[in-house]
């Protein structure tokens, strides 16, 4: 088990409740609605599915959805939540070394992954490898960009109470940072924006062009 997996695994049992406390239920619902706007996802890969918060929404539009995470504990929790979806396969996978073929997914989705891993651009490279030409990459990550000082302070306090000190190798994602990361991997950025009210998330949609 890697150090990173250990970090998130210990919060698996009540991960969604913890997140709702830190970020706010209304903000998560807003993001879920944004994700639900993405239609006809086709054969889909979700990286770092965690407790399956976004998996349920993706499953409604995916032909076949591989929901993956490095943490066995997270996969156990996600599995309990998803029995009604016959098109979902829960699998253990490391986003830096995916056990899938080149050009095999119409959509790759990742929520709250890029800002918690070291060298997130390598995860984007790997995601791009498995993405079909012209496939859709959707990435979202909570960020403090665009938040008021007071809201940053309040969320920082809730985060510390809930998760303790953040792992040292994560780094804040910004809209411009995400755009550059995608473009440096030869993806064409369709949307790169901040969403949310009191709490913000970077939301990016990009298209693969088969150059990786
Ligand atoms: C902050 S949580 C986000 C979970 C979920 N996507 C969400 O937004 O609710 C980060 C997740 O990334 C997973 N993770 C960490 N490193 C990973 C890696 N190298 N490959 C795949 N998943 C990883 C953790 O196990 C954890 O479930």
């Amino acid at each position: 088990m890697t150090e990173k997996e250990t970090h998130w695994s210990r919060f698996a049992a009540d991960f969604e409740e913890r997140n709702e406390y830190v970020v706010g239920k209304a903000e998560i619902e807003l993001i879920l609605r944004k994700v639900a706007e993405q239609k006809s996802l086709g054969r889909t890969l979700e990286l770092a599915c965690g407790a399956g918060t976004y998996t349920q929404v993706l499953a409604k539009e995916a032909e076949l959805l591989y929901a993956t995470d490095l943490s066995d504990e997270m996969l156990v929790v996600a599995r309990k939540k998803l029995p009604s979806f016959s098109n979902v396969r829960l699998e253990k996978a490391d986003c830096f070394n995916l056990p899938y073929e080149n050009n095999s997914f119409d959509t790759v989705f990742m929520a709250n992954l890029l800002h918690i891993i070291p060298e997130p651009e390598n995860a984007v490279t790997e995601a791009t490898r498995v993405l079909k030409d012209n496939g859709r990459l959707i990435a979202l990550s909570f960020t403090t960009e665009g938040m008021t000082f007071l809201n940053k302070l309040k969320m920082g306090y809730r985060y510390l109470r809930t998760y303790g000190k953040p792992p040292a190798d994560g780094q804040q994602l910004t809209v411009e940072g995400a755009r550059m990361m995608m473009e440096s991997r030869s993806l064409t950025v369709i949307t790169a924006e901040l969403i949310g009210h009191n709490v913000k998330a970077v939301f990016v949609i990009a298209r693969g062009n088969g150059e990786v």
Side-chain angles (χ1 to χ4, degrees), residues 60-206:
K60 292 184 184 146
E61 285 295 325
E63 185 186 311
L64 181 60
L65 170 60
Y66 287 79
T68 66
D69 200 288
L70 189 58
S71 160
D72 291 313
E73 289 83 351
M74 285 290 190
L75 289 169
V76 166
V77 175
R79 193 162 282 123
K80 282 191 194 139
K81 188 172 298 171
L82 297 158
S84 57
F85 293 102
S86 58
N87 62 337
V88 178
R89 312 265 181 280
L90 281 153
E91 294 189 349
K92 180 166 177 154
D94 182 350
C95 65
F96 295 112
N97 186 18
L98 295 169
Y100 307 109
E101 291 184 3
N102 294 356
N103 304 315
S104 52
F105 290 96
D106 300 293
T107 303
V108 178
F109 175 88
M110 57 187 92
N112 298 309
L113 176 66
L114 294 178
H115 73 280
I116 62 115
I117 49 176
E119 298 170 352
E121 55 284 349
N122 291 345
V124 174
T125 303
E126 185 63 348
T128 308
R129 178 184 69 75
V130 300
L131 192 65
K132 288 183 188 172
D133 295 357
N134 209 33
R136 192 177 352 177
L137 186 146
I138 308 167
L140 70 89
S141 264
F142 288 118
T143 182
T144 55
E145 186 182 16
M147 284 174 63
T148 64
F149 178 71
L150 189 59
N151 281 333
K152 278 186 207 173
L153 214 59
K154 286 184 187 167
M155 191 180 72
Y157 170 74
R158 294 194 300 270
Y159 184 97
L160 280 175
R161 276 194 70 190
T162 307
Y163 294 118
K165 207 166 153 256
D169 46 10
Q171 57 215 313
Q172 173 92 256
L173 195 69
T174 62
V175 170
E176 267 325 290
R179 178 188 289 281
M180 282 163 61
M181 202 183 291
M182 302 298 158
E183 288 178 348
S184 73
R185 267 54 193 170
S186 298
L187 292 159
T188 302
V189 175
I190 310 295
T191 305
E193 59 181 335
L194 275 183
I195 59 172
H197 297 301
N198 294 334
V199 170
K200 303 286 185 190
V202 173
F203 184 82
V204 182
I205 301 172

